[in-house]
Amino acid sequence: MEFDELTALRKNSAAWRLLRADHAPLVLAFLGRVFVGENIRSISQTDLAGRLDDELYAVNERSGETVFPKSPKAYLDDWSASDVGWLRKFYPPGVDEPHFDATPAVEKALTWVEALRERSFVGTESRLNTVFELLRQMVFGAETDPAVRIAELRRQRDAIDADIARLEGGHLDVMDPVAQRDRYQQFATVARELLADFREVEENFRRLDRDLRERIAGWTGAKGELLDDILGSRATITKSDQGRSFHAFYDFLLSAAKQEEFTELLAAVSGLPDVGELDPRMRTIHHDWLDAGERTQATVRLLSEQLRRFLDDQVWLENRRVVDLLRSIESSALAVRDVRAPTISMEIDDTVPTLVLPMERPLYSPAARMAMESATVAVGDTEFDATALFEQVFVDPQRLARAVRRSLERTAQVGLETIVGIEPLTQGLAELVTYLSLSDDAFTVVFDEQATEQVHWSDADGSSRVATLPRVTFVSRRTEGTVQ
């Protein structure tokens, strides 16, 4: 693994977060005993809080101080928070009280911690035999040549015949105690790992369900295409790699003959004197597998029902929208039923489409560059009349804004024509344009394009001027009424 990947895991993995927690021993001990040791897949908040209360009391008593001061419910809420992810908090159908289940992160953290224990005996032969057997199954199962498969089956038959011949000749090979302990240790490890994998399988099914819901929520195509793609969501989930592997295992486990054979083998192994210390949980491990498998199957069924209900809601909303459109059309038809035909009219943008061909646009023409001759520069006339430079017109917008504010002290809004009537324009058109562009915190400028007004003024030479423009109204910001 690379550094960046490990950094991301350290930051985002709930299992790593659990191992780094200050109260990790409490979490691992309590959740491991309840959800892993007892194989509980769903427990109510009341029962789990009661068990945690007893655990906290015992730990605080042994420590001689209050190591964990919070209430059991507070700890459960902390462990099930979205940014922690050690418990899954959910409401079963028809139940008002929240229930809890451990997440796969707890199983992974427990597996890692248990691997830290020192073992007096570490078997390797059984695992090597398992590796060889898995390789044979893969090579033999993927072979497409019938002759090769027949040759392999004949080899297995010859090996069996040789074993039978040795037994008939009085040669009985018995597995020694070391090999028995080795294989029993391998069996117990695989059995526990298989049981722990069910939570991760169930979580993967939920993730597949969330992906399906995201596809439905973001769907922009036709409804028929969506139904063809999503309808039968149970098949979509079960046809995934996770689903096919799980259902193959579950069908194998539900076989009555396999269950009977497995029970007999467990009983026989339990009676072997050379196996050593037996794991008491292995006696009923197949029942735990069945319970966990049924729980996962129930989750898939529930997700399928919820997804179908989600699709039904989407269809109902679309049907309701269609009905609303039809009713609006009917209402419009009833409203114009008694109106004479000549008075009914409609507008369209144009009678023919407007065609704009790309080649009708002119090509780019670069601007002509003017040649400048700067080789000979002549001295200009220094004696000239500069009065025109100082006769530029400057309109003070603050003076005009003060005039507007004075008018708004008596009313909530005032028109431009009224203001000009009170304080006539002295700088002509430039002053009028400045009125139109005023911006002030005390008022806003409103233009009414549907009405016009005329503004009169006189130039410096005595000429009368008239400007026709949309009605302009200055509205005080202190009021929220409409412009009259």
Side-chain angles (χ1 to χ4, degrees):
M1 300 181 70
E2 299 295 335
F3 173 80
D4 294 337
E5 184 180 359
L6 290 172
T7 302
L9 281 175
R10 182 177 181 273
K11 181 179 180 181
N12 301 317
S13 173
W16 200 321
R17 192 182 304 117
L18 173 55
L19 294 173
R20 294 169 53 204
D22 295 335
H23 54 293
L26 172 66
V27 180
L28 291 172
F30 177 70
L31 298 184
R33 182 173 64 256
V34 175
F35 294 102
V36 179
E38 301 180 19
N39 194 34
I40 293 178
R41 301 279 165 165
S42 177
I43 185 172
S44 65
Q45 179 175 268
T46 302
D47 294 340
L48 188 59
R51 293 191 179 197
L52 181 57
D53 191 17
D54 296 339
E55 180 76 12
L56 295 177
Y57 177 78
V59 173
N60 291 332
E61 282 293 316
R62 288 196 302 269
S63 302
E65 57 179 342
T66 306
V67 181
F68 301 102
K70 298 169 66 174
S71 65
K73 185 177 180 300
Y75 282 113
L76 294 180
D77 292 337
D78 291 342
W79 298 346
S80 60
S82 58
D83 58 342
V84 176
W86 302 335
L87 284 177
R88 184 174 69 90
K89 187 177 182 180
F90 61 98
Y91 289 85
V95 179
D96 296 334
E97 184 180 10
H99 282 57
F100 292 92
D101 186 16
T103 62
V106 176
E107 297 269 11
K108 294 178 180 179
L110 279 171
T111 302
W112 187 85
V113 171
E114 289 176 353
L116 298 179
R117 290 178 173 177
E118 294 184 0
R119 293 177 292 175
S120 58
F121 173 75
V122 179
T124 55
E125 179 194 0
S126 62
R127 283 179 287 178
L128 182 60
N129 291 333
T130 302
V131 169
F132 271 100
E133 182 61 29
L134 290 175
L135 290 175
R136 291 194 188 100
Q137 291 178 8
M138 287 188 291
V139 174
F140 183 65
E143 182 58 57
T144 58
D145 189 354
V148 176
R149 302 189 72 164
I150 291 174
E152 174 64 19
L153 291 174
R154 287 175 176 171
R155 187 192 65 78
Q156 295 178 11
R157 184 187 62 185
D158 294 341
I160 294 174
D161 291 340
D163 290 339
I164 294 175
R166 282 196 301 271
L167 290 175
E168 291 176 346
H171 299 284
L172 181 62
D173 297 330
V174 180
M175 184 178 295
D176 60 84
V178 175
Q180 294 183 26
R181 289 198 300 271
D182 183 5
R183 282 156 177 77
Y184 184 81
Q185 186 183 81
Q186 176 77 3
F187 157 70
T189 301
V190 175
R192 286 181 174 274
E193 291 176 352
L194 185 59
L195 185 61
D197 287 342
F198 276 100
R199 279 195 172 89
E200 191 165 2
V201 171
E202 189 175 343
E203 180 64 24
N204 289 343
F205 282 149
R206 290 194 182 90
R207 189 179 298 110
L208 287 172
D209 177 71
R210 285 195 297 269
D211 294 340
L212 289 175
R213 291 174 186 270
E214 290 177 2
R215 291 169 59 190
I216 294 173
W219 187 267
T220 58
K223 183 175 67 176
E225 297 176 1
L226 172 64
L227 294 177
D228 290 340
D229 193 23
I230 302 299
L231 196 62
S233 57
R234 179 183 177 86
T236 303
I237 294 176
T238 55
K239 287 181 181 178
S240 63
D241 294 343
Q242 189 83 76
R244 288 198 299 267
S245 177
F246 167 73
H247 285 287
F249 163 80
Y250 194 63
D251 293 340
F252 180 84
L253 194 61
L254 285 181
S255 172
K258 296 297 181 181
Q259 289 188 39
E260 183 178 355
E261 180 183 2
F262 193 83
T263 303
E264 293 176 356
L265 290 174
L266 280 178
V269 169
S270 301
L272 294 176
D274 298 327
V275 172
E277 185 179 356
L278 297 176
D279 188 343
R281 191 172 182 183
M282 293 299 106
R283 298 178 183 272
T284 58
I285 189 64
H286 54 302
H287 297 300
D288 293 338
W289 288 344
L290 285 173
D291 293 340
E294 178 57 32
R295 172 75 180 179
T296 305
Q297 287 280 43
T299 300
V300 175
R301 289 194 294 269
L302 179 62
L303 294 178
S304 300
E305 293 174 0
Q306 292 176 349
L307 188 58
R308 288 195 178 96
R309 196 157 48 243
F310 183 68
L311 286 172
D312 292 341
D313 293 341
Q314 294 287 100
V315 174
W316 181 82
L317 291 174
E318 292 183 4
N319 292 338
R320 180 178 178 180
R321 179 175 177 272
V322 171
V323 171
D324 292 339
L325 290 175
L326 292 176
R327 287 180 178 176
S328 65
I329 295 173
E330 293 174 354
S331 301
S332 301
L334 292 175
V336 300
R337 180 180 57 182
D338 298 331
V339 180
R340 295 183 179 180
T343 61
I344 301 177
S345 61
M346 63 179 297
E347 296 182 359
I348 59 176
D349 295 336
D350 204 343
T351 56
V352 294
T354 302
L355 300 179
V356 179
L357 300 178
M359 299 306 296
E360 291 181 351
R361 301 178 181 177
L363 298 178
Y364 170 74
S365 299
R369 296 184 178 182
M370 301 298 296
M372 299 184 61
E373 178 63 36
S374 60
T376 57
V377 178
V379 178
D381 186 6
T382 58
E383 300 295 335
F384 62 91
D385 185 9
T387 306
L389 296 177
F390 301 98
E391 291 181 351
Q392 302 298 319
V393 177
F394 170 72
V395 180
D396 185 8
Q398 296 298 328
R399 177 177 62 84
L400 304 184
R402 286 195 296 271
V404 175
R405 287 196 293 269
R406 284 196 298 270
S407 300
L408 290 176
E409 291 177 355
R410 299 183 295 272
T411 180
Q413 59 188 31
V414 63
L416 175 61
E417 186 177 8
T418 303
I419 296 177
V420 173
I422 298 174
E423 299 188 17
L425 302 178
T426 59
Q427 294 177 285
L429 184 59
E431 187 175 355
L432 176 61
V433 174
T434 306
Y435 266 116
L436 302 180
S437 61
L438 285 179
S439 177
D440 194 86
D441 295 337
F443 58 84
T444 57
V445 184
V446 180
F447 296 90
D448 186 2
E449 301 289 346
Q450 305 299 324
T452 60
E453 62 182 358
Q454 292 183 342
V455 178
H456 301 264
W457 74 90
S458 298
D459 288 341
D461 58 358
S463 301
S464 298
R465 303 291 185 182
V466 178
T468 303
L469 64 160
R471 180 182 297 170
V472 180
T473 307
F474 298 93
V475 181
S476 175
R477 294 185 185 271
R478 297 190 304 269
T479 62
E480 296 184 359
T482 57
V483 178
Q484 301 295 327

